[in-house]
Amino acid sequence: LSELEALMERMKRLQEDKEDEEASQEEMATRFEKEKKESLLVISGGICALPAPFSFDDEIVSTDVSRYIEDPGFGYKDFARRGEDHLPTFRAQDYTWENHGFSLVNRLYSDIGHLLDEKFRMVYNLTYNTMATHEDVDTTTLRRALFNYVHCMYGIRYDDYDYGEVNQLLERSLKVYIKTVTCYPERTTKRMYDSYWRQFKHSEKVHVNLLLMEARMQAELLYALRAITRHLT
């Protein structure tokens, strides 16, 4: 099967499995923890199989962006150290954008919550219902996997989501691309862009980038607004 046909087959099989039997809460929690730990090993240019004696700085060619920023050392840091047994988890049910973050940010800056919410919803729901040459395709499962994988990288878990879907729908090259775009955008290359979903249209791959950026922004807002809420209370 081609990359496209294989992906569509996995999407169909996931839907059938979901209708037949749902995973238990314990199974979904285990799958999230596995995906969260593995996301720490995803690096630009490849996936490290083991946490040691791996050196992150040795694997990635750094891009000089110091002339654009005041602090050249400022950059993304993983939310936990590789090899740790118990990684921190932000349970989305305890602090959600819809129920908590939206109202708080509106209090802090009038109407900005409505603008942000509209932006999140528009990008998430944006679809032509196509996958390359196939039409009338429900891409909800795939869009949700992309969005939730970004949040997973930031330690955010949705109790009602089966993270086994992420591992089945997002192949290695795409995970590498996702982490690079969301965490180290200055290191993104055309080679990485071309390495995943080769049969897809550019408009579909651009939508992936928009979805990743909005997922990252919402994740950052959740952490910041939760901290403000704790400070206020």
Side-chain angles (χ1 to χ4, degrees):
L1 292 178
S2 68
E3 180 184 33
L4 172 62
E5 298 297 335
L7 177 58
M8 294 192 66
E9 181 63 28
R10 290 196 297 271
M11 290 174 61
K12 179 182 179 181
R13 188 167 61 247
L14 278 174
Q15 188 60 41
E16 292 173 349
D17 292 344
K18 187 178 296 185
E19 293 174 356
D20 293 339
E21 183 179 359
E22 290 189 3
S24 66
Q25 282 294 319
E26 184 178 355
E27 288 174 323
M28 291 197 291
T30 300
R31 291 171 184 174
F32 168 77
E33 291 298 327
K34 179 181 179 181
E35 198 65 47
K36 181 173 64 173
K37 290 181 180 179
E38 288 182 354
S39 74
L40 295 175
L41 305 180
V42 176
I43 62 171
S44 174
I47 297 183
C48 178
L50 297 171
F54 170 69
S55 173
F56 186 82
D57 294 332
D58 292 342
E59 289 290 327
I60 294 181
V61 178
S62 178
T63 301
D64 182 17
V65 294
S66 59
R67 61 183 179 277
Y68 301 119
I69 56 180
E70 295 180 359
D71 181 7
F74 181 80
Y76 170 81
K77 299 291 184 183
D78 281 323
F79 68 92
R81 294 179 181 274
R82 293 179 181 83
E84 287 185 356
D85 293 330
H86 303 289
L87 304 181
T89 295
F90 183 136
R91 295 183 70 255
Q93 278 68 18
D94 295 336
Y95 198 93
T96 65
W97 165 254
E98 293 80 6
N99 297 331
H100 306 90
F102 173 80
S103 58
L104 175 59
V105 79
N106 261 344
R107 283 171 50 199
L108 300 174
Y109 195 142
S110 180
D111 291 333
I112 192 66
H114 294 286
L115 296 175
L116 288 170
D117 190 63
E118 182 181 0
K119 187 160 70 83
F120 292 146
R121 292 179 184 275
M122 180 183 67
V123 171
Y124 187 87
N125 294 319
L126 184 64
T127 179
Y128 299 128
N129 292 314
T130 63
M131 287 181 65
T133 57
H134 295 265
E135 298 182 350
D136 298 321
V137 180
D138 184 357
T139 61
T140 303
T141 303
L142 188 55
R143 285 181 280 127
R144 184 170 60 238
L146 289 164
F147 193 92
N148 286 358
Y149 181 63
V150 173
H151 280 204
C152 178
M153 290 195 306
Y154 282 84
I156 300 174
R157 180 197 170 201
Y158 294 87
D159 291 347
D160 58 350
Y161 181 70
D162 183 358
Y163 288 85
E165 295 185 7
V166 168
N167 215 33
Q168 294 190 54
L169 296 178
L170 309 184
E171 70 277 10
R172 168 178 171 159
S173 60
L174 181 52
K175 285 184 176 181
V176 171
Y177 183 76
I178 290 172
K179 184 155 188 177
T180 306
V181 168
T182 55
C183 303
Y184 312 95
E186 74 281 2
R187 298 171 180 171
T188 308
T189 64
K190 188 176 185 301
R191 178 184 62 80
M192 298 176 66
Y193 174 84
D194 292 335
S195 69
Y196 79 95
W197 287 4
R198 295 175 178 85
Q199 296 170 290
F200 281 68
K201 301 173 185 176
H202 284 297
S203 59
E204 293 169 319
K205 298 178 76 166
V206 168
H207 181 212
V208 171
N209 284 269
L210 293 173
L211 195 59
L212 301 181
M213 290 295 94
E214 294 306 316
R216 169 185 166 168
M217 184 176 187
Q218 189 178 109
E220 292 170 337
L221 278 172
L222 285 173
Y223 274 103
L225 294 172
R226 185 182 67 167
I228 293 173
T229 297
R230 289 176 174 176
H231 174 73
L232 293 176
T233 56

